[in-house]
Amino acid sequence: MKQNRRQFIRSSALATMALATPLFPAIASVKKLSKISTDKMKLSWTPYDLQLNHTFTISGFSRTTTPIILTKIEYDGLEGYGEASLPPYLGETQASVIEFLKKVDLSAFTPYGHIEEIMSYVDGIAVGNTAAKAAVDIALHDLVGKIEGAPWYKIRGLDKYDVPDTTFTIGIDTDEVVREKTREALGRFNILKVKVGGPDDKRMIEAIRSETDLPLAVDANQGWKDRRQALDMIFWMKERGVVMVEQPMPKQDLDNIARLTEESPLPVFADESIQRLSDVERLKGVFSGINIKLMKCTGMLEAWKMRKLAYSLGMKVMIGCMTETSCAISAASQLYSGMDFADLDGALLIGNDCFDGAKLENGKIIPSDQPGIGVKLSGDLRFSRKG
Ligand code: MG
């Protein structure tokens, strides 16, 4: 009975949705039915702390844990999971996410075919709070995919194997640690990402080159302050097998970044300079491409729109992440088929992942074939609507 009712809900919503939105391009036509489920969506959450395998240092910050909030939306016997990852430099906390989630009332909505409408409501609750919004968006996508009975890469009509190799990130550290992390990556990854913008970038690159010839991506995290020096460094790095550069200079220094990009022999990607869909257009001609992160752009719906807009503007696109469980990483893995670069090692850098989902295969993060975002909760966590 349950199954019949679910198919019924799905068919009726699909009919409305196929007309209203291009969200489900893989679905051709369905019969329109008149009734939908009267069940109400219930949102709950739980705080969780990720333990990093290594102390992580980027230009200006160092840490060993990342706080997160996991979310769950229950509806019609199904559960959709989501996540807000909260690295301290982005400004959201477990308390601020909980405060935001308490304001989210999904009882007036039905999920299927209404992601756009629901996320428009969620986005309008308060400015900012992008990770909190992403936690709702991801759980909603997981739920809707489960109602549909398909993973999102299939719903989007994507090939899950047509994805770029994921980078494995090496933070700013001593030669010894850098070499150890490089050895840890060998045989598992086909490209490494090096955090630069510290006092001795050339030494970092040379330490890695003493271990491997794998291609390298570099992320300066705004750490290079002078355009001429940045350009010299990029030319030096290109000679040593670096293939792309992320956020070379301070995020607001767009004039210098535009000139740097024009002269750079390597593609230059925006990370700190970009947050949401509304930022994409003004970065055309400034950067070669953009780094899309679910936690900064409110989740999968807006990430998909950013991807489409950037490609339509002739820009390159990569997908990035925070330190996250396999929940948020699996969500990202559902929409990066065909992208230029990927940095989806977030769940591989932690020791207490509580989800089973997308997996590293031959250097690529491949989503599972489970419906929704393709995850199973493996920990014993209690979700509630309390602080
Ligand atoms: Mg970055």
Side-chain angles (χ1 to χ4, degrees), residues 368-380:
S368 81
D369 288 323
Q370 297 297 313
I373 61 170
V375 294
K376 284 210 165 82
L377 181 64
S378 56
D380 181 25

Side-chain angles (χ1 to χ4, degrees), residues 353-369:
D353 192 357
C354 52
F355 281 91
D356 188 29
K359 292 265 190 316
L360 183 68
E361 290 179 29
N362 303 316
K364 299 174 194 293
I365 297 288
I366 305 294
S368 81
D369 288 323

Side-chain angles (χ1 to χ4, degrees), residues 58 89 193 195 218-222 246-247 269-272 291 293 296 318 320-321 343:
I58 61 171
Y89 60 90
K193 172 163 160 176
K195 293 291 191 178
V218 297
D219 187 351
N221 290 110
Q222 317 182 69
E246 205 178 311
Q247 198 67 45
F269 282 75
D271 185 2
E272 285 85 343
N291 186 350
K293 290 178 173 169
K296 286 167 57 180
M318 68 174 284
C321 66
D343 178 23

Side-chain angles (χ1 to χ4, degrees), residues 11-31:
S11 305
S12 75
L14 262 176
T16 323
M17 189 173 47
L19 294 171
T21 134
L23 267 178
F24 287 63
I27 298 159
S29 67
V30 284
K31 287 182 183 169

Side-chain angles (χ1 to χ4, degrees), residues 10-76:
R10 185 176 133 187
S11 305
S12 75
L14 262 176
T16 323
M17 189 173 47
L19 294 171
T21 134
L23 267 178
F24 287 63
I27 298 159
S29 67
V30 284
K31 287 182 183 169
K32 184 166 181 173
L33 299 173
S34 57
K35 285 201 274 182
I36 56 167
S37 170
T38 54
D39 196 16
K40 296 200 184 310
M41 281 188 279
K42 291 181 212 68
L43 172 68
S44 56
W45 53 83
T46 186
Y48 194 75
D49 288 310
L50 302 180
Q51 308 297 325
L52 309 190
N53 294 333
H54 293 282
T55 302
F56 195 69
T57 306
I58 61 171
S59 183
F61 301 93
S62 206
R63 66 180 198 274
T64 55
T65 62
T66 300
I68 66 168
I69 295 281
L70 296 169
T71 53
K72 178 164 78 170
I73 300 176
E74 291 166 89
Y75 176 79
D76 197 39

